[in-house]
Amino acid sequence: MEKIAERGYIACGLCGDVEFGFGHNVEPIPKKFRKWDLNGEGRCCKKCNDKFVIPYRIALIGKKREEASASS
């Protein structure tokens, strides 16, 4: 893994694909779904960011809004 990072590549923590660049922040995806995040870097590829991370973030925002409106 270190050699990949030295050359400017990241290994996706969600699917294991290797991608050039810095990757995307995988937060707030729970650690139990990060089977390839061996170094705990918390990075993912563009494909997983678009398919999993962004929809998960949007769902969390919706959930927080529902909770806020229910408590008022």
Side-chain angles (χ1 to χ4, degrees):
M1 286 295 188
E2 291 83 27
K3 295 198 183 242
I4 291 172
E6 288 174 13
R7 294 184 179 146
Y9 291 88
I10 61 106
C12 177
L14 300 176
C15 71
D17 284 351
V18 175
E19 182 177 272
F20 182 76
F22 297 105
H24 301 271
N25 187 352
V26 76
E27 292 294 332
I29 300 291
K31 291 190 187 296
K32 66 181 179 181
F33 297 112
R34 302 184 204 174
K35 62 182 178 180
W36 298 101
D37 192 12
L38 304 176
N39 295 332
E41 295 173 352
R43 309 307 291 171
C44 69
C45 66
K46 179 175 178 14
K47 179 181 73 177
C48 287
N49 189 56
D50 294 345
K51 189 173 181 180
F52 302 114
V53 178
I54 292 174
Y56 192 82
R57 289 177 182 163
I58 292 170
L60 285 178
I61 291 169
K63 183 177 178 183
K64 287 181 182 181
R65 285 185 181 167
E66 286 177 9
E67 290 172 356
S69 65
S71 64
S72 4

